[in-house]
Amino acid sequence: MVKHITTPLTYEKVKDLKCGDNVMISGVIYTSRDAAHKRLVEAHERGEELPYDVKDTIVYYVGPAPAQPGQVIGSAGPTTSYRMDAYSPTMIRLGQRGMLGKGKRSPEVIAAMKEVGAVYFGAIGGAGALLSKCIKKAEVIAYDDLGAEALRRLEVENLPAFVIIDSEGNNLYEIGRKEYLEFANK
Amino acid sequence: MREINAQDITAVVKKLCMEANYFLPEDIQDKICKACDAEPWPLAQSILGVIKENYEISLDNAVPICQDTGMACVFLDIGQEVHVNGNIADAVNEGVRQGYVEGCLRKSVVKDPLDRVNTKDNTPAMIYYNIVPGDTFDIMVAPKGFGSENMSQIKMLKPSDGLQGVKDFVIKCVEDAGPNPCPPIVVGVGIGGTFDKAAYLAKKALMRSTDERNANPFYADLEKELLEKINALGLGPQGVGGLTTALCVNIETLPTHIAGLPVAVNINCHVTRHKHASL
Ligand code: SF4
């Protein structure tokens, strides 16, 4: 069964999401990678206002390829999330409710997710051509000088993903593997 | 002496950068299809199905398979009877520049590893020069994504660690990488040589077709054994559990020193790209 979720991603919606759920994400989401995260967190530490209100938002860890003529955006699959681990606890505590990427997260990120009620989604790494088709509108809203790493506002429709880590800290990378191995070694 | 013009190198590199990023090699396509048919775990199978659908979209529309269109690794096998009119490195970099700009490929290179300012045209390429007999000029362009590059490792084992030490290290690298390098992965292993040559061999191993085993039967068997062991780990596509963790293991070796046993593991994702042309 697929769960359809529409942003803003509220606390109530997050509580309903469980590790292993298949989801389709629609609505407005924001992109940032390493360099943009660094700037966001540094801006926050200086007491400055962030380029967008992060409350109940989903961040997509992506640096898209440039759009070809007629495209909204070029290929746009997830980048590896652990590089944002240093910044995520701050962003989560600022209200960022969902993260969309691929790969492992640190215990500190998971602790912040459990504390605040946030969720970590995985999109299929390397499926950038397919995922870009779910993006209906894309606009750079900050850090334009970073090129592919600029902060973008995206409007997405039915972007396919999985719940990798839910707000209780259940982790599909551990549970999914364990269940498969039990099945395979039966 | 055969004469080659630098402009011809530029034109070929440009074309290879674009084609490598749009069109997944047939052997990899074939491995993904077979893995999809053989995958017993439903979630894993559905992921492999999406991965297949994704490269089909790229084939049909000439768009990048993955947004990380890589750092351009360019392997040149240059016949010693060839004379190039012009600067080879400049010609290669101009090809990368044109290919990445005109081909709408992502510019993922920073000029300095600590200062980190983007060069905005994906140059410079990483160029590997190899001088060979004859008058051929072969170019292989391999855009290398860093999700998988970052999961690569090298270790200077002791000779007493032997075969078991090599196997354990390869498995450890895959285990450590987990879901990060976009499994199913292709594993390049370099054994022997020096510290740097082992790493080069591991990268070179990723250039070999996944249909071709090492010419030495001992290493061909080791490739098969390691693939089986990796796929018994249960990591699966994207690390969410399943049979298909790796599509292939390729090993390359070199003689080494009496005191050493260098082993390097270069991990590549399911978007293992390379495209070759001869001038
Ligand atoms: S590891 Fe490969 S498939 Fe994954 S994002 Fe990087 S280039 Fe793409």
Side-chain angles (χ1 to χ4, degrees), chain B residues 169-246:
Chain B
F169 181 62
V170 174
I171 300 294
K172 178 193 176 301
C173 291
V174 175
E175 180 77 61
D176 287 352
N180 293 2
C182 298
I185 56 177
V186 175
V187 185
V189 182
I191 311 174
T194 48
F195 180 74
D196 53 313
K197 281 280 183 176
Y200 168 75
L201 286 175
K203 176 144 276 97
K204 196 77 189 160
L206 294 174
M207 302 303 124
R208 200 207 307 153
S209 162
T210 56
D211 289 333
E212 205 183 300
R213 293 299 94 236
N214 190 300
N216 177 331
F218 175 80
Y219 287 108
D221 285 345
L222 184 58
E223 289 174 342
K224 286 185 220 150
E225 183 189 335
L226 283 170
L227 180 62
E228 261 172 47
K229 289 210 156 78
I230 288 168
N231 284 336
L233 292 174
L235 284 163
Q238 302 293 306
V240 300
L243 172 66
T244 318
T245 301

Side-chain angles (χ1 to χ4, degrees), chain A residues 77-80 102 125-127, chain B residues 66-70 144-149 180-182 268-271 273:
Chain A
T79 194
T80 325
K102 60 152 170 125
Chain B
C66 179
Q67 76 291 335
D68 184 355
T69 50
K144 186 68 175 76
F146 258 55
S148 49
E149 192 74 353
N180 293 2
C182 298
N268 213 349
C269 43
H270 62 85
V271 189
R273 296 158 283 199

